[in-house]
Amino acid sequence: NAITENILREAADAFAFDRTTGEISRYGEGHINDTFVVWASDKCKRYIMQRINTDTFKNPKELMENVCHVTGFLRKAILEKGGDPERETLNVIPTKEGKPFYTDSDGGTWRAYIFVEDTVCLQKVENENDFYTVAETFGTFQNQLAAFPAATLHETIVKFHDTPTRYQNFEKAVAEDAMGRAKDVADEIAFVRSREADCHVLVDMLSKNEIPLRVTHNDTKLNNVLIDKTSKKGICVIDLDTVMPGLAAYDFGDSIRFGANDCAEDEPDQNKVHFDLHLFEVFAKGFLSTAGATMSEQEKSSLVWGAKLMTLECGMRFLTDYLEGDHYFRISRPAQNLDRARTQFTLVKGMEAAFADMMRIIQKY
Ligand code: ATP
Ligand code: MG
Ligand code: MG
């Protein structure tokens, strides 16, 4: 639904802002939610107000319970360390009725946050330094949440990184072969099948209690970090819609999957796809500089598996979607999902070749 001036006003009136509110305008470059800035009428202060995308997030109540639980815990952790809890974590502003979100007369779901001032939000990794900043900031997030009871969070996307289940879905798509495409991708199917046992490594480590269940963010991009204008350090992790119980290896691995290369996700020419071990080291160094203190040697080595398995899993999902007829990942040309799958598999091969090096690097920090 379109957001009218009236709806905006209605939503802003619902929240317990500490000033009377004035101008409201669209803000930022997010792609999922509708983000607005609400100014106090005296222009001395502003707030973030978002309409949650309920097509993507079908259970905003559970989502906001997760957000409130995690940010409440972060506040305490930050206060204990003498930090500024209004800048170093998101802070939910409740409605006047004390609820974490508001449902408008049009059915839209809204929430509000304290605006974190004097920060920049970079859209794209331009250099190693940016990548290091992402690593360091998400490592801090992991460190601050080390004692959080992760099992109490709602699994808002069920089995999101359950790699064995993703593998089963892949086999189902091969068996059904809805589009008659399986015969043309025999090599890719064989590639995945020969790695079936790998799919279990992380979930097995968890079930044997070798690594802890943690809070994962699941969208560890540079533009989900607010960077202090002066110090240029990442200070606040935002966009907590996908926080869930999971493994440190999931966030770490996914960051490596999309960050430690310089190719397009759908690169058709596999000669242009290279896993970049140097960028892996940059990220590992940043992440472990902040998260390393709370991690056992075993959990550190699980990060390397995370890199490989998040990449394999993503490739399997692209290949599954290709076999099923491109229902999930939007395409703009035929075989785009196949190219996406191949690119992930090329990266997996690169990671396998560099596996021992990655393990050595992880031990260094
Ligand atoms: P994405 O496309 O990354 O999923 P999204 O639609 O979920 O984004 P957010 O990332 O939550 O939206 O917010 C969009 C933008 O609004 C951020 O990139 C940031 O620039 C800005 N922003 C969000 N929360 C705050 C805040 N508390 N203080 C200052 N700026 C914020
Ligand atoms: Mg975002
Ligand atoms: Mg988001």
Side-chain angles (χ1 to χ4, degrees), residues 298-339:
Q298 218 158 6
E299 190 174 24
K300 286 186 195 170
S301 57
S302 79
L303 302 177
V304 176
W305 275 101
K308 171 170 155 171
L309 290 193
M310 291 303 96
T311 312
L312 178 64
E313 179 184 289
C314 183
M316 277 192 311
R317 292 180 64 196
F318 288 140
L319 186 58
T320 301
D321 200 37
Y322 178 72
L323 291 166
E324 290 177 346
D326 310 301
H327 298 306
Y328 188 82
F329 298 106
R330 197 173 301 162
I331 54 168
S332 54
R333 57 179 170 80
Q336 191 173 11
N337 277 326
L338 179 57
D339 286 335

Side-chain angles (χ1 to χ4, degrees), residues 130-279:
D130 292 343
F131 197 43
Y132 186 86
T133 301
V134 179
E136 197 180 38
T137 315
F138 281 102
T140 299
F141 182 75
Q142 200 55 265
N143 188 46
Q144 288 165 333
L145 291 169
F148 186 94
T152 62
L153 289 177
H154 301 289
E155 206 177 344
T156 42
I157 307 172
V158 175
K159 296 187 185 261
F160 188 49
H161 280 311
D162 185 321
T163 317
T165 302
R166 298 289 189 187
Y167 181 86
Q168 282 170 13
N169 296 343
F170 153 78
E171 283 291 5
K172 191 163 156 271
V174 177
E176 285 173 6
D177 195 18
M179 309 298 289
R181 291 173 173 174
K183 63 182 183 317
D184 304 323
V185 293
D187 289 351
E188 287 74 14
I189 292 171
F191 182 91
V192 175
R193 282 187 170 153
S194 65
R195 287 161 181 77
E196 182 186 358
D198 291 342
C199 295
H200 297 264
V201 169
L202 287 173
V203 290
D204 285 356
M205 285 175 97
L206 176 66
S207 66
K208 286 191 236 153
N209 278 321
E210 292 171 359
I211 51 175
L213 191 71
R214 293 207 183 247
V215 180
T216 50
H217 182 279
N218 291 310
D219 199 9
T220 52
K221 304 179 292 187
L222 179 62
N223 64 6
N224 286 332
V225 167
L226 298 179
I227 295 168
D228 186 87
K229 235 187 208 164
T230 319
S231 73
K232 306 282 189 241
K233 290 262 186 197
I235 53 152
C236 182
V237 167
I238 62 168
D239 205 344
L240 302 175
D241 293 334
T242 48
V243 287
M244 263 179 276
L247 301 177
Y250 296 160
D251 274 353
F252 180 93
D254 200 43
S255 305
I256 296 301
R257 178 189 73 76
F258 66 76
N261 63 70
D262 63 354
C263 61
E265 192 173 59
D266 61 347
E267 174 60 58
D269 180 357
Q270 294 307 305
N271 291 316
K272 293 190 182 151
V273 180
H274 305 282
F275 169 59
D276 188 328
L277 186 64
H278 174 68
L279 286 176

Side-chain angles (χ1 to χ4, degrees), residues 33-47:
N33 303 296
D34 291 292
T35 302
F36 295 86
V37 63
V38 178
W39 282 97
S41 54
D42 60 7
K43 281 259 170 193
C44 286
K45 195 171 177 183
R46 55 184 166 168
Y47 314 90

